[in-house]
Amino acid sequence: MSPGRGRGRPGTFAEMPGAPRGVGHLREEDPFPIAARRTLGDAQLRRNLAKATGTIRAKRAAVVGELRDWEELREAGREIKAHTMAHLDGYLRQLEEQVTVRGGQVHWARDAIEANTIVTRLVHQTGASEVVKVKSMLTDEIGLNDALAATGVTAHETDLAELIIQLGRDRPSHILVPAIHRNRAQIREIFLREMDGVDPRLTDAPADLTAAARAYLRKRFLSAKVAISGANFAIAETGTLAVVESEGNGRMCLTLPETLITVMGIEKVVPAWADLEVFLQLLPRSATGERMNPYTSIWSGVRPGDGPQQVHLVLLDNGRTAALADPVGRQALHCIRCSACLNVCPVYERVGGHAYGSVYPGPIGAVLSPQLTGIGDNASLPFASTLCGACYEVCPVAIDIPSMLVHLRARVVEQRHLHRPAAGAQAAEPAGRSAAAEAAGRSAAAGASVGAATARSGAGAGTAESGSEGSVTRHSPSVVAARSRNCAPSTTHATSVSAPVQRSGGHIGRSNPSSRRRKGVRPDGTGYGMPKRSVGLYAGVRTTAMPSSTLVPASAPIADVTIETS
């Protein structure tokens, strides 16, 4: 077996399977402090980021201010996501049934390796040597383009920003605007250097750059037999998939090719059409500062003579079950990829997305990536924040990122102490410690001395079913969402590490009981920032019981964590 497959990965919650090493783009190459110091020296990057994020912030504030019921809409989005995650196994089964009934084929992928294997096999079955792509963030997470190239298939990105990244042999640095670190002059140079047949008189005017990209992509749209897409949402009750975008390239990819392969994270499912209505109001305002998306493409299976006649849906776990098992960390799966948290984050605005190492940068990346990979592989990311709380204030589904950051910092410290050599054995430690372990040590150095921490976790068993799809093992939703569990909300209490004692009256993972709050302050009056008189980040760490509102499955295995403070 490949590393990380078929067994738990240390650092994921309850050591459940996480994203495998050596494939995809989820892990930091250098600890965040080192990478951030490097990007801080790029003055042009900082100017580009300041201008772009400032513009998006202003647009968002204007359109959000038009809605009197924005906070109620935001709370509705949070509740839909929380409910869906608590019953994810059932909704995934329903989605599979409905997609299949409508002529589509559903494939289950436990991790990036399986997903890449499935997609490359499907492409080769069509005989195509080129594919066009739209909504590529998830496929970037799993390194699909590299996997396709290794088998002789060329992938063409069609989102304008993704095209810039691909032609420039660059890495995305923003969830919504992957090329946010590039200005128009830099983009012009990339087009002149990499595009065949481009007019040498090309200027850096937006209209001219867009026209050049349109001409470059049009012939690829018209000749492609296979398209690969992501998805913003999937509706369980009808097996419907949805992609929202603003350029029209999605419409071309989703309608012209003969075969459409959609790769989607399991967390993107929503129960019903009525739920989609909520998110189609939240997402455009939070993402691009628009009242509605210019293009919303929705399809359900196969319709004879209209659109792709071979429709595939690949449902990907890749560490999401591990995040789901953590009653605090599971909030990260509520994310709808609007990037509002990046645009208000003072850290992101100064260092950019590349400093985070993962395809998911910014505040949401700092809590999502470590849970997908295992905390040890991204140990510095939970510390890449000032805990100012701005991300929570703008999140359209009210994800409490600051609380999750504190929770994950505690897990870094726990893991560091659990793997600390016994007394007197320090000299025997291998000199070549991994970068992740070193990052964990450096990042946790700000914490107070924490004594012995013990963790006892129950193993969540998932069953694997042998499938008929080639040599790839087909996994039922039990692997992805613990099918055997009773996922109804219960009064079972889970033990979790809470905030420092100075933040009395609150607990990690608190649901938002009221839409009225002050910036940087929770409804119960506790603040996000650390107290000025705090003697250390983890001084006085305590444990607290999570109430039933956290929607912990009744029989879910929960780690009992005991923290002793020095």
Side-chain angles (χ1 to χ4, degrees), residues 76-97:
R78 187 199 66 79
E79 291 181 357
I80 292 169
K81 280 293 187 178
H83 166 82
T84 305
M85 293 303 104
H87 302 85
L88 187 56
D89 56 344
Y91 288 124
L92 288 173
R93 287 200 303 270
Q94 184 181 17
L95 177 66
E96 179 184 28
E97 292 167 358

Side-chain angles (χ1 to χ4, degrees), residues 56-282:
I56 298 172
R57 282 198 304 269
K59 291 178 63 179
R60 177 200 170 275
V63 294
V64 166
E66 296 173 354
L67 298 183
R68 295 182 179 179
D69 62 345
W70 174 255
E71 291 300 334
E72 288 76 8
L73 194 65
R74 187 174 178 240
E75 178 63 12
R78 187 199 66 79
E79 291 181 357
I80 292 169
K81 280 293 187 178
H83 166 82
T84 305
M85 293 303 104
H87 302 85
L88 187 56
D89 56 344
Y91 288 124
L92 288 173
R93 287 200 303 270
Q94 184 181 17
L95 177 66
E96 179 184 28
E97 292 167 358
Q98 293 301 318
V99 170
T100 303
V101 164
R102 287 164 172 76
Q105 299 180 51
V106 177
H107 313 262
W108 296 89
R110 177 173 50 185
D111 57 27
I113 297 172
E114 288 189 359
N116 289 337
T117 302
I118 292 169
V119 174
T120 53
R121 174 172 51 81
L122 293 174
V123 172
H124 281 289
Q125 286 176 354
T126 69
S129 60
E130 295 185 341
V131 300
V132 289
K133 294 179 63 194
V134 63
K135 286 290 172 186
S136 295
M137 178 164 288
L138 186 64
T139 59
D140 199 13
E141 172 189 325
I142 63 177
L144 179 60
N145 285 9
D146 296 334
L148 289 171
T151 63
V153 177
T154 301
H156 299 289
E157 300 290 352
T158 67
D159 291 316
L160 180 55
E162 292 285 359
L163 176 64
I164 294 167
I165 294 297
Q166 185 178 42
L167 293 178
R169 298 172 181 82
D170 202 352
R171 299 293 310 148
S173 64
H174 192 275
I175 289 177
L176 183 70
V177 193
I180 195 171
H181 57 286
R182 297 287 190 181
N183 60 27
R184 292 183 299 172
Q186 294 170 325
I187 295 169
R188 172 182 175 274
E189 292 302 319
I190 292 173
F191 282 9
L192 287 172
R193 184 177 65 248
E194 301 294 336
M195 282 186 175
D196 295 333
V198 68
D199 188 340
R201 297 170 297 178
L202 178 69
T203 72
D204 63 1
D208 291 345
L209 295 173
T210 303
R214 182 181 294 116
Y216 178 81
L217 291 172
R218 183 57 58 94
K219 57 185 178 182
R220 289 164 174 79
F221 285 134
L222 297 177
S223 63
K225 294 183 179 180
V226 179
I228 298 173
S229 82
N232 292 99
F233 306 101
I235 305 171
E237 69 176 355
T238 58
T240 301
L241 303 178
V243 163
V244 297
E245 39 103 10
S246 59
E247 300 171 19
N249 61 306
R251 189 67 52 85
M252 303 286 277
C253 287
L254 300 172
T255 58
L256 292 179
E258 300 169 3
T259 300
L260 174 61
I261 304 169
T262 300
V263 186
M264 186 189 85
I266 57 174
E267 79 280 12
K268 295 297 184 72
V269 66
V270 297
W273 278 89
D275 303 316
L276 181 64
E277 174 189 354
V278 173
F279 295 114
L280 290 183
Q281 295 179 73
L282 290 168

Side-chain angles (χ1 to χ4, degrees), residues 30-51:
D30 293 314
F32 182 84
I34 296 174
R37 188 177 299 112
R38 184 167 56 244
T39 58
L40 279 170
D42 189 338
Q44 183 63 58
L45 170 67
R46 296 182 66 177
R47 285 193 293 269
N48 294 351
L49 289 170
K51 181 176 181 180

